[in-house]
Amino acid sequence: MLKINDLVKNYGKFTAVDRLTLSVEKGAVCGFVGPNGAGKTTTMRIMAGLLNATSGSVMIDEVEVTKNPRALREKIGYMPDFFGVYDNLKVTEYMDFYAGAYGISYKERGPIIDNLLEIVDLAHKKDSYVDSLSRGMKQRLCLARSLVHDPELLILDEPASGLDPRARVELKEVLKQLQGMGKTIIISSHILPELAELCTEICIINQGKLAAQGSVQEIMQKLSQKRIIHVQPLNEMDRMLQILKEQPFIRSIVENAKDAEFDFTGTNEQLASVLKQLVLAEIPILSYKEKEGNLEEVFMQVTGGENV
Amino acid sequence: MMNPVLRREAITSLRGWKNFAVLTFYLAMMTIGAIVFFYTSVYQSYQYTFDPQSVVYLYVVLGSIQMALIVLSVPALTAGSISGERERQTLDLLLVTKLSPFSIVIGKLLSSMAFVLLLIISTLPVFSIVFYFGSVGIGSVLTLICFTLTTAYMLGGVSVFFSCIYKKTVISIMLVYIFTGILCFGTLLLVLLPMAVRGYDQLSPTATLIKLIPNPGVGFFSLMDHQIGTNILNDVFIQDRNIKINPFVQWGANNLWVLHMIFQLVVGSVFIALAASLINPVREHKQKNKTAKTKK
Ligand SMILES: Nc1ncnc2c1ncn2[C@@H]1O[C@H](COP(=O)(O)OP(=O)(O)OP(=O)(O)O)[C@@H](O)[C@H]1O
Ligand SMILES: [Mg+2]
């Protein structure tokens, strides 16, 4: 669906996007993650045909964005990070305006608009003025607006910023619904965990460069060199710690009241053999498992904060 | 299908107070103009009577007030059209739709023009006084309306253009006024300076005529001159001179306003095209790339 190849964007001497290469399959939900100033908005504006790249290319369905931006606009729904609304315009009129701007005939507009307002849960606000809506409602209205021409690819720049936790959950529901409709979605955020459950893949960018790409699991495996193992004995804590301390690939054992955690740098076989030794030493083990990596930590690690 | 930008502007401006304020002010000025005219021409004359023939001058007075108001209000109405979208952060949302930059600009311009048309129509009752006395025909009034509209078109085009460049509406408005000022007084200087140096008789009538084409003041004067039959420009260019007059000057001296209207249409269109290419995010960059390459 989308292929970005060696994309570079310079603002004067400053390089905002630096040789970015990535591709997104049809039907994927790609989380675009990075700290402030990473170049997310810049990349997304280039995808949407609002900004020209310094070099490199963005291809959507094998067509270069800059070659034929008009034809591609039909395929792209874009929601910017910051946007405004018009005064003195009602919700349906607002939608009607953008439907018209996408060349949808008067006749077709009505049902499309009703349906979209239903999806983003704004049907009850149909006759309100858009500038009287709350931030979260405007955000959802803007999402509905970007869907008005039924695009295949959605480019959403931080759609969740400024939303309260409940609104975030609701937004996630809407996005899941859209994913179910077979749309390809690219969604940016600076909060990685927020995207984890929604996305089929994640791209982390930092200082304009691609730092990592893959599924959530892949990224965590690739990036967290140290694995944290959690072990809980029934009793005989001291003897267990004694054995663990003698193991070569175990470092920094943390002792809690009823369980312990340690960093493990060996292979899976070695990990299994540690458990075997504990069992052979007749220590009753209740649980022995690898702790799910912390996305937050991964993110900090990738984006520069090494010693988190 | 109606231009969506125009449609939206129509909806929102009917709900806003701004356009009503302008309309009220406009009508008030026209009415005051008519009242002052009657007061001066009736009560100041010796017989305390009123010569219906003099109503022709009411037409000139009303036409002048109308022109002045259009020249003042079109920049105020249009110079914030694109910068306003930018400030409100809605321009990107427009640019990602299937609307071309050209139709965005045209939509903005047409909405100003539509309002100008509304202003003109709303003043027709005041103009009907002139019809009532039969001093000026309907054809003349229609021609005056066309002339006013082409003026609005040019000023609107220039306003939209500046609106694409400057964030502050006030700066754009000032620049359009300066632009109008240059057209009025700059061209006049171009004629007066050589006249002061070489004398009136030495001026080439063709060159002088051409220099005066861009002048909206002279253009309007020429229209009035033509419509009420005073033929002052004809006298200035042809009658009082002994030199041979070519056919262009012969015709142009009586029809300078036609040339000025053509000038307005051309200039307006050029500025609209420039404005459209300015807000086109893709093309703007291509041009920059080209210039960067040629510099290297
Ligand atoms: N118009 C511009 N002129 C100059 N520099 C710019 C411009 N737009 C963005 N930049 C710079 O490019 C870099 C990337 O900006 P961008 O907006 O793409 O970041 P982002 O990842 O979207 O950040 P955020 O999370 O804050 O939205 C920043 O360092 C920014 O200062
Ligand atoms: Mg951003």
Side-chain angles (χ1 to χ4, degrees):
Chain A
M1 181 90 209
L2 173 82
K3 277 204 181 78
I4 298 180
N5 205 352
D6 252 353
L7 190 71
V8 177
K9 175 69 194 177
N10 295 332
Y11 291 112
K13 279 188 182 153
F14 178 78
T15 305
V17 177
D18 193 1
R19 309 201 55 175
L20 189 71
T21 299
L22 64 91
S23 66
V24 178
E25 293 302 313
K26 201 172 174 61
V29 179
C30 176
F32 211 52
V33 199
N36 287 134
K40 304 183 293 290
T41 300
T42 306
T43 311
M44 290 181 134
R45 281 172 59 85
I46 294 173
M47 288 181 206
L50 285 172
L51 197 65
N52 251 297
T54 307
S55 70
S57 67
V58 176
M59 312 265 279
I60 291 173
D61 278 346
E62 312 292 321
V63 183
E64 172 121 30
V65 172
T66 46
K67 286 273 154 57
N68 200 347
R70 286 286 281 306
L72 286 174
R73 284 184 187 152
E74 208 148 331
K75 294 190 176 170
I76 303 176
Y78 171 68
M79 178 171 166
D81 47 355
F82 297 107
F83 60 90
V85 294
Y86 299 99
D87 304 336
N88 296 319
L89 205 65
K90 290 178 180 169
V91 168
T92 39
E93 290 163 346
Y94 177 86
M95 292 294 289
D96 184 81
F97 167 56
Y98 286 103
Y102 277 106
I104 299 167
S105 71
Y106 291 119
K107 244 196 254 163
E108 290 168 283
R109 289 180 204 172
I112 293 177
I113 292 170
D114 286 346
N115 182 29
L116 285 176
L117 290 180
E118 205 67 57
I119 288 181
V120 299
D121 195 20
L122 279 177
H124 60 292
K125 287 282 178 185
K126 262 178 109 152
D127 294 317
S128 307
Y129 283 100
V130 278
D131 53 348
S132 73
L133 297 181
S134 76
R135 169 91 188 253
M137 288 175 182
K138 277 183 197 156
Q139 214 100 343
R140 280 184 302 188
L141 180 65
C142 191
L143 181 63
R145 180 206 56 83
S146 69
L147 288 165
V148 77
H149 55 303
D150 197 21
E152 295 163 43
L153 174 67
L154 275 175
I155 300 173
L156 311 175
D157 199 353
E158 291 182 32
S161 72
L163 297 187
D164 67 20
R166 169 177 287 275
R168 274 163 201 253
V169 172
E170 284 167 3
L171 181 76
K172 239 177 242 178
E173 289 307 314
V174 175
L175 291 177
K176 268 185 198 152
Q177 207 174 331
L178 293 174
Q179 184 184 11
M181 289 159 72
K183 302 208 180 296
T184 312
I185 304 176
I186 299 176
I187 174 171
S188 83
S189 174
H190 21 265
I191 309 166
L192 185 56
E194 181 179 286
L195 291 176
E197 60 166 303
L198 192 70
C199 297
T200 55
E201 63 187 292
I202 288 196
C203 302
I204 301 182
I205 71 165
N206 189 30
Q207 296 179 350
K209 293 190 186 70
L210 187 67
Q213 181 182 19
S215 69
V216 179
Q217 287 82 359
E218 278 171 1
I219 284 201
M220 288 195 315
Q221 271 167 17
K222 230 183 277 172
L223 294 171
S224 49
Q225 296 94 354
K226 54 176 185 183
R227 303 157 77 182
I228 298 172
I229 312 298
H230 174 269
V231 53
Q232 187 181 4
L234 184 62
N235 47 37
E236 301 205 61
M237 183 69 133
D238 292 340
R239 212 152 62 79
M240 184 190 81
L241 290 175
Q242 198 58 42
I243 296 173
L244 288 179
K245 272 177 195 154
E246 287 160 10
Q247 301 299 320
F249 300 104
I250 289 180
R251 261 184 273 134
S252 57
I253 302 170
V254 181
E255 186 189 344
N256 299 325
K258 283 183 174 163
D259 53 18
E261 280 173 17
F262 55 85
D263 289 0
F264 188 75
T265 52
T267 62
N268 278 344
E269 286 75 22
Q270 290 158 337
L271 187 60
S273 95
V274 172
L275 177 60
K276 196 174 165 190
Q277 285 184 44
L278 290 176
V279 174
L280 285 178
E282 294 191 344
I283 296 168
I285 301 292
L286 279 180
S287 93
Y288 183 82
K289 63 168 193 269
E290 185 167 345
K291 231 177 126 176
E292 287 254 328
N294 187 336
L295 276 172
E296 199 92 41
E297 262 172 37
V298 171
F299 178 67
M300 296 304 273
Q301 201 178 329
V302 172
T303 55
E306 293 294 347
N307 321 316
V308 181
Chain B
M1 203 160 74
M2 186 174 172
N3 183 310
V5 176
L6 172 61
R7 205 171 120 97
R8 197 211 67 232
E9 295 275 344
I11 295 174
T12 51
S13 63
L14 284 178
R15 288 191 183 130
W17 55 270
K18 193 173 131 193
N19 285 8
F20 279 103
V22 175
L23 182 65
T24 313
F25 176 73
Y26 194 90
L27 278 174
M29 292 309 283
M30 293 292 273
T31 316
I32 290 170
I35 291 170
V36 168
F37 176 82
F38 276 114
Y39 179 78
T40 46
S41 61
V42 176
Y43 294 101
Q44 307 277 313
S45 61
Y46 293 112
Q47 302 97 2
Y48 287 95
T49 55
F50 168 68
D51 172 17
Q53 212 49 48
S54 74
V55 175
V56 115
Y57 294 104
L58 174 63
Y59 174 70
V60 177
V61 168
L62 290 179
S64 310
I65 296 177
Q66 174 133 294
M67 273 302 283
L69 289 172
I70 293 295
V71 168
L72 286 178
S73 62
V74 167
L77 287 166
T78 330
S81 55
I82 300 294
S83 54
E85 295 272 346
R86 229 189 270 276
E87 194 179 350
R88 222 188 282 114
Q89 296 183 309
T90 46
L91 187 61
D92 278 357
L93 295 181
L94 268 185
L95 289 171
V96 294
T97 66
K98 277 176 74 188
L99 288 179
S100 64
F102 182 73
S103 45
I104 295 173
V105 169
I106 284 290
K108 290 291 182 187
L109 184 80
L110 283 183
S111 54
S112 300
M113 297 275 295
F115 184 64
V116 165
L117 194 63
L118 179 74
L119 290 182
I120 292 173
I121 290 171
S122 69
T123 56
L124 280 182
V126 188
F127 268 99
S128 66
I129 304 169
V130 184
F131 290 142
Y132 179 76
F133 290 102
S135 343
V136 178
I138 183 108
S140 296
V141 175
L142 285 180
T143 313
L144 175 64
I145 290 176
C146 285
F147 186 87
T148 320
L149 283 178
T150 54
T151 307
Y153 176 76
M154 175 179 77
L155 292 178
V158 177
S159 304
V160 173
F161 169 78
F162 283 127
S163 178
C164 293
I165 300 179
Y166 296 99
K167 281 191 184 128
K168 287 235 163 88
T169 307
V170 187
I171 293 179
S172 296
I173 294 178
M174 291 320 292
L175 285 172
V176 185
Y177 289 160
I178 291 171
F179 173 83
T180 316
I182 289 173
L183 285 189
C184 284
F185 301 106
T187 54
L188 221 51
L189 271 186
L190 280 184
V191 174
L192 292 180
L193 279 183
M195 196 165 107
V197 176
R198 286 184 281 153
Y200 173 65
D201 287 337
Q202 297 303 309
L203 291 186
S204 145
T206 315
T208 308
L209 194 67
I210 290 175
K211 282 177 193 165
L212 288 177
I213 289 175
N215 192 315
V218 174
F220 179 72
F221 180 82
S222 154
L223 178 66
M224 292 293 118
D225 190 31
H226 172 80
Q227 287 189 340
I228 64 175
T230 41
N231 291 329
I232 296 171
L233 281 181
N234 188 60
D235 295 348
V236 171
F237 275 98
I238 299 159
Q239 292 261 285
D240 307 347
R241 317 193 68 170
N242 303 319
I243 44 175
K244 244 184 129 189
I245 297 298
N246 64 34
F248 170 69
V249 176
Q250 192 90 49
W251 182 81
N254 288 304
N255 296 287
L256 194 55
W257 57 278
V258 178
L259 296 172
H260 182 64
M261 276 169 82
I262 295 169
F263 170 83
Q264 286 175 328
L265 289 175
V266 171
V267 171
S269 304
V270 167
F271 275 94
I272 289 166
L274 286 176
S277 84
L278 273 180
I279 61 165
N280 185 345
V282 182
R283 195 188 301 165
E284 184 192 15
H285 200 84
K286 268 185 196 156
Q287 282 170 349
K288 267 187 201 162
N289 271 356
K290 267 182 208 155
T291 50
K293 269 173 201 161
T294 47
K295 266 177 199 165
K296 276 172 199 168

